């Protein structure tokens, strides 16, 4: 069983940006955080949520051109806590979107020979999301960028701590 605790999405996102600042700087990518006050709070495993967010931001940086933009936003919408990762990178073709969560799938075939990735990142992220009863939505347009919206039930003390 996975240990879970009360987690601030803002704190996780701030740690995420700290960890990804160097890869972003290497490509002159502006990596920024937009947050809602108070910070949305969820019940989860911090290490696994961080792993999932690292996968999403790493992909955003990898597929965004030099000088681009990657934004991480945390917010509360109704009873859902959300993290939105948006980039202005190369985007994903509409016909590839249904398959991006599959193991070993690489949407951009021209990168397959030069990419060091295995094609497992998004399938691992999806599994982590499932373990947290979370949901994800990907929207993308080729040449304009990709947005991943991840949502979780907000933290409810009486419900989760029993």
């Amino acid at each position: 069983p996975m240990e879970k605790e009360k987690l601030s999405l803002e704190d996780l996102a701030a740690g995420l940006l700290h960890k990804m600042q160097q890869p972003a700087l290497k490509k002159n990518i502006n990596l920024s955080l937009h947050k809602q006050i108070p910070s949305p709070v969820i019940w989860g495993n911090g290490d696994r949520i961080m792993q999932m967010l690292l996968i999403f931001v790493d992909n955003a940086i990898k597929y965004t051109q030099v000088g681009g933009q990657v934004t991480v936003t945390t917010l509360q919408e109704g009873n859902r806590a959300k993290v939105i990762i948006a980039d202005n990178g190369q985007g994903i073709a509409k016909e590839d979107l249904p398959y991006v969560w599959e193991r070993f799938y690489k949407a951009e075939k021209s990168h397959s020979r030069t990419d060091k990735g295995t094609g497992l990142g998004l399938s691992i992220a999806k599994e982590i999301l499932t373990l947290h009863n979370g949901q994800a939505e990907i929207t993308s347009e080729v040449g304009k960028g990709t947005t991943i919206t991840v949502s979780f039930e907000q933290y409810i003390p009486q419900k989760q701590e029993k």
Side-chain angles (χ1 to χ4, degrees):
M2 184 172 48
E3 289 189 32
K4 293 184 178 181
E5 62 186 330
K6 181 180 170 183
L7 300 169
S8 158
L9 284 184
E10 178 185 327
D11 290 349
L12 284 169
L16 172 71
L17 265 64
H18 178 75
K19 289 179 185 218
M20 297 307 293
Q21 199 61 49
Q22 275 308 113
L25 285 172
K26 283 182 183 177
K27 287 185 70 177
N28 193 30
I29 290 174
N30 182 13
L31 182 60
S32 61
L33 173 62
H34 299 270
K35 56 193 177 186
Q36 183 181 51
I37 310 273
S39 173
V41 177
I42 63 168
W43 187 252
N45 182 288
D47 291 338
R48 295 294 68 85
I49 298 287
M50 180 62 78
Q51 179 185 12
M52 178 192 66
L53 295 175
L54 282 166
I55 290 167
F56 292 146
V57 172
D58 182 61
N59 279 348
I61 291 169
K62 187 185 302 183
Y63 296 110
T64 296
Q65 61 278 9
V66 172
Q69 169 77 35
V70 175
T71 304
V72 178
T73 304
T74 60
L75 59 97
Q76 185 79 34
E77 238 176 45
N79 68 344
R80 303 297 288 178
K82 295 184 176 186
V83 179
I84 302 166
I85 296 115
D87 66 61
N88 64 349
Q90 67 188 40
I92 302 166
K94 189 178 251 180
E95 61 270 13
D96 287 319
L97 281 174
Y99 307 104
V100 297
W101 301 108
E102 293 180 9
R103 294 175 63 186
F104 307 113
Y105 188 82
K106 290 189 176 187
E108 183 55 49
K109 305 298 187 248
S110 65
H111 290 284
S112 294
R113 281 181 243 106
T114 58
D115 254 353
K116 290 181 173 58
T118 61
L120 290 172
L122 290 181
S123 66
I124 291 169
K126 185 69 169 178
E127 183 64 26
I128 293 168
L129 202 53
T130 300
L131 291 170
H132 287 86
N133 297 318
Q135 300 170 339
E137 177 186 345
I138 299 179
T139 57
S140 190
E141 189 174 337
V142 173
K144 300 217 174 177
T146 301
T147 299
I148 298 177
T149 302
V150 181
S151 69
F152 306 91
E153 286 184 14
Q154 70 180 2
Y155 167 75
I156 302 170
Q158 309 86 320
K159 182 178 174 184
Q160 272 113 3
E161 291 180 1
K162 289 184 179 179

